[in-house]
Structures are given as structure tokens and as C-alpha cells.
Amino acid sequence: MSVQAQGWSLIEYPEGLPTDASVRLESQTLPQPGPGQLLIRNLWLSVDPYMRGRMIPVKSYVPPFQLGQWMEGGAVGEVIASNHPDFQVGQTVLHMLGWRDLALSDGTGVTVVDPTLAPAQSYLGVLGLTGLTAWVGLNRIGQVKAGDTVFVSGAAGAVGTMVCQLAKRQGARVIGSVGSAEKAAYLKETLGVDAVLEYKQCDNLAAALAERAPEGISLYFDNVGGDHLEAALANMQEQGQLVICGMIDLYNSDGQRPGPRNLTEVIRRRLSIKGFIASDHMADYGAFVADVAPGLASGEIRAEETVVAGLDQAFNAFLGLFSGANTGKMLVKL
């Protein structure tokens, strides 16, 4: 017996910020699982800034979405039918067939997770690639240590909130950049961030950062790019490190926005700059969970989430990433 499913399709490659004209919520008939297949009812969907890069028809570290086909993204769901030997009905699984309510899979990239260890949606955020990104960037790339001064852009976002907490736990002094007074208060009062920069209120971002870090920045964790990267370069300590995770400020640009104008600081200050992608570090996943899960269970680490209800709101949730609508991980609950 077949089942009716709904999912989001990309119908045009957008220029600039995507609009409703770029996507469509469509219905599709799915068959019951054949040999080696399983059917998953999605419970939680992840929407992430990197998905904007998949809406551009160019080669990258992940392939672009194909026009007229359902888009993909992280999801957690329940197995509701299975003809696959490795998956049983009732199991909770993590997979990449998001942007839809039902997913038919051959098991590729599907992982059974334990919802008793942490809430199921945590595997999309604090215990998923989001958390791994923060952990790898700090520990494997930046090698953060006690006494460091760490500047985090996009500090109230999914990765940023984790970076702030993990850096503080390592004994670093943390400065976070955010876009609102509410987010600034959250970082200081809830996460214990040492100093906050409300970038929308700054006429000169580099000068504002210098006021908060007169000793300079030893490690910059970049989620934003653009003027934040330029400000960080102007305030780095000698031999400082810049860990480049994302550049959300540029994702919807027309390609005309200038990059940092002060790259000569890399030479003058003998800086190290390295970009990374968390999926290249899956061998570290076990060490990451062993380090973070106990802190999550004890309440030492908070899993901040912004939850939007309903598959029909998934695209609006995605757009909210670019207007600062989220604090922590942006999730869609089905």
C-alpha cells in the first residue's frame, strides 16, 4: 500500500535572498518499503545556513539541490515500516532526508540514535553536526586553551552558542557578536560570555572590538565573514588563529561585496587562517559525544533551540536564519 508524503522542492535557483518563488511544497506518493528499504516518519527537521549554498548550481563540498526534486537536510524520525535487516520499526534514526514528512530510504546515511541519552532533536544540534562543528573548530583546528581570548561572530546562533560554552569551559575569555540586545543579554546572563558586541549598534566594528579586547584576540571563530572578519584581523594578537566555519553574511550576496580590506594583517601579525567542514572530522564524533554528552546531561552545557511548528513553515524557518530569528539551533517540529 502506498502512502502520501509532502516535501519542499527547489523550482528555481535564487539570486540574493531566496523567496517563495524559489520553492514549492509538493505531494508525492511513496510505495511501501521494498527489500532493503525502510520508511521513516520525520519528527524534527534541521534548517542550516549551508543549505543556501546548495541553492546555487556550482560544484562545492556538497552537491547543489536539483530543480524539481525534494531538497535534503538533517532530520530525526521514527522507523514506521522496514524491510531492512539493520532497522526495526519504532527505532529513532538520524538521516539526511529532511525537508519532508515521510522519507523512503535504503539505509544509506541512516544512524540509530538513543532518545534516552538526550532528546531526539539534540542529534540535530548540540549532539549533531552543529555541536561537532563547534567542538572540532575549537579543539582540533583552533586548539583553544585556558587564557585565550576568543571572539565568536554569530555567537547566538546554533554553532556560536556551542562555541561560547565550550570555550568558556576550557578557561578562555569569550567575546560574542550578536544582532540584538535580547541576544546580548542571553549570552551574558545565561551562557556567561565575558563581553558582548551588538554589531548593529556599532559605527566602527573594529574599534568596538578593540574596546572589548584591548589585549587582542588570540582565536577568532568566524561564522559570519565580511566586516566581522575584517574587524577580527585588525585586532588579532601576533601568532593568532582564525578558524573559518561559515560566512553567512555573504551567502545571499550578489558577489559584489568586498572581502576584508586588511588581509596584509595576516603577514604583519603572522596569523594562521584555516577553514574546515565538520563532516571531514567524523572520526572525532565519538570523542566529541564523550566530552559533551555528560555536560549536557548535567546542565553544564545548554542546548538552546528555536522551534518552528509544521512542515509548511520549514522554508520560513530557513529564511529566519538570515534575519537573526533564531537563538541557538533552528528546528522544525512536525
Side-chain angles (χ1 to χ4, degrees):
M1 182 182 296
S2 60
V3 294
Q4 284 295 114
Q6 282 192 309
W8 286 92
S9 294
L10 187 69
I11 58 175
E12 67 175 20
Y13 291 117
E15 295 183 4
L17 185 69
T19 68
D20 291 342
S22 306
V23 296
R24 181 183 298 136
L25 183 60
E26 298 178 330
S27 296
Q28 189 177 111
T29 300
L30 299 180
Q32 286 295 311
Q37 293 183 320
L38 64 152
L39 185 64
I40 304 164
R41 176 183 290 117
N42 285 332
L43 305 173
W44 294 90
L45 306 180
S46 174
V47 289
D48 302 283
Y50 85 88
M51 293 174 174
R52 178 62 183 88
R54 300 193 69 183
M55 296 178 180
I56 303 171
V58 297
K59 184 177 180 180
S60 185
Y61 63 92
V62 287
F65 294 133
Q66 298 300 303
L67 296 182
Q69 297 182 14
W70 280 1
M71 297 185 290
E72 299 172 349
V76 168
E78 178 186 358
V79 178
I80 59 173
S82 179
N83 275 318
H84 195 294
D86 296 335
F87 302 97
Q88 285 74 52
V89 171
Q91 287 181 320
T92 302
V93 293
L94 171 70
H95 61 96
M96 287 300 294
L97 295 176
W99 287 99
R100 67 198 74 184
D101 55 4
L102 296 172
L104 185 65
S105 170
D106 64 2
T108 301
V110 179
T111 303
V112 177
V113 297
D114 183 359
T116 66
L117 176 64
Q121 71 270 25
S122 297
Y123 293 96
L124 295 173
V126 65
L127 289 182
L129 277 177
T130 296
L132 180 64
T133 298
W135 191 90
V136 165
L138 283 175
N139 293 285
R140 294 294 188 257
I141 311 300
Q143 299 180 337
V144 65
K145 60 186 183 301
D148 277 344
T149 297
V150 179
F151 175 44
V152 186
S153 59
V159 173
T161 52
M162 278 296 291
V163 172
C164 289
Q165 293 181 83
L166 295 178
K168 285 293 297 179
R169 193 170 66 153
Q170 291 286 83
R173 179 172 184 264
V174 178
I175 303 166
S177 176
V178 296
S180 71
E182 293 78 11
K183 290 181 178 180
Y186 170 78
L187 287 189
K188 295 188 73 172
E189 297 169 9
T190 302
L191 299 189
V193 168
D194 298 281
V196 177
L197 188 159
E198 291 180 53
Y199 69 90
K200 293 180 181 178
Q201 305 302 318
C202 297
D203 294 328
N204 186 318
L205 197 57
L209 181 56
E211 291 177 2
R212 290 157 177 80
E215 75 285 4
I217 305 299
S218 52
L219 193 158
Y220 171 48
F221 198 105
D222 189 17
N223 294 300
V224 173
D227 56 357
H228 277 76
L229 179 53
E230 184 170 295
L233 286 166
N235 284 279
M236 297 299 297
Q237 297 173 5
E238 291 188 359
Q239 309 291 340
Q241 297 188 81
L242 296 94
V243 177
I244 311 300
C245 168
M247 294 189 174
I248 193 171
D249 191 45
L250 305 178
Y251 291 168
N252 294 307
S253 74
D254 58 5
Q256 302 303 310
R257 297 192 65 174
R261 296 165 293 184
N262 57 344
L263 282 173
T264 54
E265 296 294 344
V266 175
I267 302 170
R268 189 172 75 83
R269 301 174 191 250
R270 281 83 82 196
L271 305 176
S272 297
I273 302 179
K274 185 170 183 179
F276 76 103
I277 298 167
S279 57
D280 291 340
H281 297 266
M282 293 308 297
D284 285 317
Y285 185 75
F288 152 68
V289 172
D291 184 30
V292 171
L296 181 64
S298 69
E300 177 191 12
I301 295 174
R302 296 176 59 92
E304 186 63 39
E305 300 167 349
T306 298
V307 178
V308 175
L311 178 63
D312 61 328
Q313 295 301 309
F315 184 65
N316 287 334
F318 170 71
L319 293 181
L321 296 172
F322 304 100
S323 62
N326 62 303
T327 297
K329 180 69 180 180
M330 178 72 88
L331 294 165
V332 178
K333 183 178 182 179
L334 303 188

